[in-house]
Amino acid sequence: MASGGEAPESWYLALLGFAEHFRTSSPPKIRLCVHCLQAVFQFKPPPRVEARTHLQLGSVLYHHTKNSELARSHLQEAVCATRRARGFPQFEDVKFEAASLLSELYCQQNLVDSAKPLLRKAIQISQQTPYWHCRLLFQLAQLHTLEKDLVSACDLLGVGAEYARVVGSEYTRYSIPAPLLLMERKLQEVHPLLTLCGQIVENWQGNPIQKESLRVFFLVLQVTHYLDAGQVKSVKPCLKQLQQCIQTISTLHDDEILPSNPADLFHWLPKEHMCVLVYLVTVMHSMQAGYLEKAQKYTDKALMQLEKLKMLDCSPILSSFQVILLEHIIMCRLVTGHKATALQEISQVCQLCQQSPRLFSSHAAQLHTLLGLYCISVNCMDNAEAQFTTALRLTTHQELWTFIVTNLASVYIREGNRHQDLYGLLERINPDRSFPVSSHCLRAAAFYIRGLLSFFQGRYSEAKRFLRETLKMSNAEDLNRLTACSLVLLGHIFYVLGNHRESNNMVVPAMQLASKIPDMSVQLWSSALLKDLNKACGNTIEAHEAAQMHQNFSQQLLQDHIAACSLPEHNLISWTDGPPPVQFQAQNGPTTSLANLL
């Protein structure tokens, strides 16, 4: 340790250097890092050093350990110490960073009422510090968004846009209007605004890193806007640009050119996080379009990147990315016939939500929706209804609500005795009039559900009308799974009507598309129809081949069904209230009938 004659700066810099060395070691030696920082207090440091050290300790504990209480204590001390360190304007950053991080921690602990006044106070006194003023405004706006208070969030973003204009930060100013409109659900206004902003960014002569960062920002907004609208084909050019842009930005160095305007230092997302976000929107697109192997490939890449990032950075957004990735890949697994894996990943989402009350509150409805989809896949229809009903109670998001209602309607159709409940649901998602959302994909799915109902009721002409509408919409936007489902159902209708040629014209492309996705249920259905079609037409060899295919698909689904229902996590299908259960009791075997599955 430093001798008494050394200047305070020497011992402080030495301890700081050791702490940083231990923090950035591979793997990080967080305990030693914390010991070095705690040693600073033995020297009775001045308030400015005390404040910064408390901030550093709070940050290390928050990002690298589960000791959130100690992290909160140090961050609270940092906020208090900055008040005693007045007269040191260069330590304004410490004051605002401590307030920002402490507010983030409060939100993680669901102490929103403690976070709000802290942020408001920091915003009030940060007007002479453009970077932090913009960042704190965005942070408080995000907090209001999580609480569904979009009016307050939009007001704050409006203040941020005006402030950026006053301080001459075109970069930050461009970052605000589009998300504001997206939050207000003014989707018709979003597309022209994003197009205009994209042109402005292209013509903007600024810092290369900032320019590419803005391009990524607007392209992400455009891609998510299209995906939100269920326009899988229309989004392709934007998605391709986004993927090229992230490759460009990954080759640039952050320190090549520093912006002259402090307000321009505000970045909407770190470069490393952008890479994960681009993987995420690619997965979302692949899942909607029915490219499920591609979705798996990009999910693996994104989760690997997240694993590396979370070793050094426990930012809440990384956990959000991880949960959204898992939600999408779970849906893919259920389609491809990997229910046991899907169930284990649902359990993984539960564990992530257990670690963060905020994460659970924002993803509880999605979690119950996934369980509902799993219940359908293993033919537990009563549990599926309970899960979807719980999800409807928990969500205020219109697109998710419509998705849940569509799937709940399919449950009622399969049960066959819920006519009043079913018709009540179908009136609320009528694709011919006053459909609740603008999503092209969900509207096409609503036509399919009506076609399915008409098929079961023997109203084949009506069923064909609905299914042709689904096909028209699906083909327009490359919604491959809806296309495959519509084709096989139309094929079934033509088979029942005795039109074997037309049935074959539907079922063969349905099988080809289902194999490409791959969709196990549609493959099973198509192979059964092909077997019967070829048998009826006297094609003995083709009928035998189709029968063999059907047997193979049946065996695969049967084995996966048994594996999934035997997992202790299968008990999650009974969870409909409160936080997710911590432990699961083992199952002796499947408790549901396989007759309807096969």
Side-chain angles (χ1 to χ4, degrees):
M1 188 56 65
S3 64
E6 285 186 298
E9 287 77 7
S10 301
W11 56 257
Y12 174 61
L13 292 175
L15 287 170
L16 200 62
F18 279 124
E20 184 63 9
H21 166 74
F22 291 131
R23 188 186 72 83
T24 56
S25 297
S26 184
K29 299 174 181 176
I30 299 304
R31 184 183 295 275
L32 293 174
C33 172
V34 168
H35 283 328
C36 289
L37 291 172
Q38 286 174 330
V40 171
F41 299 122
Q42 302 299 317
F43 291 85
K44 305 288 187 232
R48 57 191 178 88
V49 173
E50 180 189 355
R52 185 178 290 281
T53 305
H54 277 301
L55 170 59
Q56 290 164 327
L57 274 165
S59 179
V60 167
L61 290 164
Y62 174 58
H63 288 121
H64 299 282
T65 75
K66 294 181 180 179
N67 197 338
S68 54
E69 289 303 315
L70 188 56
R72 187 171 78 177
S73 173
H74 278 293
L75 291 171
Q76 288 169 336
E77 286 291 336
V79 170
C80 293
T82 55
R83 293 170 186 156
R84 297 194 296 272
R86 289 176 182 172
F88 295 95
Q90 66 270 38
F91 282 92
E92 292 290 292
D93 283 354
V94 175
K95 179 191 302 182
F96 299 129
E97 187 177 349
S100 173
L101 200 54
L102 181 56
S103 299
E104 194 176 294
L105 180 53
Y106 281 147
C107 289
Q108 285 287 90
Q109 298 178 325
N110 262 5
L111 301 171
V112 176
D113 289 337
S114 298
K116 284 180 186 173
L118 183 61
L119 284 173
R120 288 195 191 105
K121 176 66 175 174
I123 288 167
Q124 186 182 349
I125 61 175
S126 64
Q127 292 192 32
Q128 302 306 312
T129 313
Y131 166 77
W132 279 108
H133 192 64
C134 292
R135 179 167 167 174
L136 292 164
L137 279 167
F138 267 80
Q139 190 172 349
L140 185 55
Q142 183 186 31
L143 195 157
H144 283 301
T145 304
L146 291 172
E147 291 194 308
K148 313 299 182 188
D149 182 2
L150 300 186
V151 173
S152 298
C154 289
D155 286 345
L156 283 163
L157 289 178
V159 170
E162 177 59 19
Y163 178 80
R165 185 192 67 79
V166 169
V167 298
S169 174
E170 295 299 303
Y171 166 72
T172 302
R173 186 184 174 198
Y174 293 154
S175 304
I176 295 173
L180 194 149
L181 290 173
L182 280 169
M183 287 163 57
E184 291 180 321
R185 311 303 295 161
K186 295 180 179 177
L187 299 181
Q188 299 303 317
E189 299 174 39
V190 170
H191 183 66
L193 178 63
L194 286 173
T195 302
L196 175 62
C197 288
Q199 292 168 356
I200 293 170
V201 170
E202 289 303 320
N203 296 327
W204 183 50
Q205 301 300 314
N207 181 312
I209 282 278
Q210 289 181 318
K211 184 168 183 172
E212 290 304 313
S213 174
L214 276 177
R215 285 189 72 207
V216 171
F217 180 71
F218 284 111
L219 286 167
V220 165
L221 289 177
Q222 279 187 299
V223 169
T224 51
H225 167 58
Y226 277 121
L227 292 178
D228 206 25
Q231 296 175 325
V232 173
K233 185 177 182 179
S234 303
V235 76
K236 285 182 179 179
C238 290
L239 183 59
K240 188 174 182 180
Q241 284 183 57
L242 177 60
Q243 290 164 341
Q244 291 170 343
C245 192
I246 201 67
Q247 288 179 345
T248 301
I249 204 170
S250 62
T251 63
L252 299 172
H253 297 289
D254 295 334
D255 56 356
E256 281 181 354
I257 307 171
L258 288 174
S260 55
N261 189 334
D264 287 344
L265 289 167
F266 174 78
H267 281 279
W268 70 280
L269 200 67
K271 187 168 66 176
E272 296 77 16
H273 294 191
M274 286 184 206
C275 294
V276 177
L277 181 56
V278 173
Y279 283 140
L280 174 55
V281 295
T282 303
V283 169
M284 292 167 69
H285 173 263
S286 300
M287 191 212 72
Q288 278 198 36
Y291 306 133
L292 303 192
E293 289 180 348
K294 185 178 180 183
Q296 175 66 64
K297 170 186 164 185
Y298 280 100
T299 298
D300 291 343
K301 285 186 175 184
L303 291 175
M304 195 180 303
Q305 185 79 1
L306 277 169
E307 194 75 23
K308 292 176 184 175
L309 287 173
K310 289 181 86 171
M311 289 177 68
L312 295 172
D313 180 1
C314 289
S315 172
I317 199 170
L318 296 180
S319 295
S320 296
F321 285 165
Q322 187 176 0
V323 167
I324 297 169
L325 278 164
L326 287 169
E327 287 170 352
H328 281 80
I329 203 60
I330 287 163
M331 288 188 278
C332 293
R333 305 259 196 231
L334 293 174
V335 172
T336 57
H338 297 93
K339 295 184 283 291
T341 306
L343 184 57
Q344 290 168 328
E345 287 167 338
I346 290 173
S347 174
Q348 193 179 342
V349 174
C350 287
Q351 291 167 21
L352 287 165
C353 288
Q354 284 168 0
Q355 297 167 15
S356 168
R358 183 192 63 78
L359 201 58
F360 176 65
S361 66
S362 57
H363 287 270
Q366 291 92 317
L367 196 44
H368 285 288
T369 303
L370 291 171
L371 281 167
L373 296 174
Y374 167 75
C375 289
I376 290 176
S377 75
V378 292
N379 199 35
C380 296
M381 293 303 163
D382 288 343
N383 296 101
E385 181 184 352
Q387 291 297 336
F388 288 139
T389 304
T390 302
L392 286 173
R393 176 169 50 83
L394 293 171
T395 190
T396 56
H397 190 273
Q398 275 290 87
E399 279 76 12
L400 180 58
W401 180 90
T402 306
F403 179 80
I404 297 166
V405 167
T406 304
N407 282 283
L408 182 55
S410 78
V411 171
Y412 289 158
I413 290 171
R414 291 178 192 217
E415 289 182 322
N417 58 356
R418 304 293 297 277
H419 304 300
Q420 190 173 349
D421 293 327
L422 175 59
Y423 291 132
L425 285 182
L426 292 179
E427 271 306 302
R428 302 176 77 180
I429 55 166
N430 189 336
D432 283 320
R433 63 175 188 273
S434 62
F435 195 63
V437 294
S438 59
S439 172
H440 183 93
C441 179
L442 287 173
R443 187 162 173 263
F447 275 117
Y448 176 79
I449 286 294
R450 287 187 172 260
L452 186 66
L453 175 62
S454 299
F455 166 73
F456 277 111
Q457 293 175 335
R459 302 200 306 270
Y460 298 127
S461 294
E462 186 179 87
K464 285 191 283 184
R465 181 183 80 79
F466 286 129
L467 293 171
R468 282 173 178 145
E469 195 62 39
T470 304
L471 271 179
K472 184 173 77 174
M473 294 186 71
S474 299
N475 288 332
E477 285 293 342
D478 289 349
L479 303 171
N480 290 329
R481 187 157 184 257
L482 265 178
T483 299
C485 290
S486 302
L487 284 171
V488 73
L489 184 49
L490 275 169
H492 202 138
I493 291 169
F494 285 119
Y495 176 76
V496 171
L497 293 172
N499 190 339
H500 294 167
R501 179 189 292 273
E502 197 61 33
S503 177
N504 192 70
N505 289 342
M506 298 289 127
V507 178
V508 169
M511 181 58 134
Q512 290 169 344
L513 195 51
S515 302
K516 182 181 173 185
I517 292 172
D519 185 324
M520 283 291 286
S521 296
V522 175
Q523 286 177 295
L524 183 73
W525 190 356
S526 299
S527 59
L529 275 171
L530 285 172
K531 177 186 69 173
D532 294 341
L533 270 170
N534 284 299
K535 189 176 179 181
C537 296
N539 302 325
T540 310
I541 296 175
E542 289 85 348
H544 176 74
E545 289 174 352
Q548 188 60 53
M549 275 197 300
H550 185 262
Q551 177 68 15
N552 292 340
F553 292 135
S554 298
Q555 285 300 316
Q556 287 179 51
L557 283 168
L558 178 59
Q559 289 168 10
D560 185 52
H561 181 101
I562 294 170
C565 294
S566 301
L567 289 170
E569 290 87 351
H570 183 74
N571 282 300
L572 276 169
I573 67 173
S574 302
W575 163 60
T576 55
D577 191 40
V582 179
Q583 292 181 329
F584 314 99
Q585 297 298 316
Q587 292 278 315
N588 293 324
T591 56
T592 57
S593 166
L594 299 183
N596 291 338
L597 179 73
L598 302 180

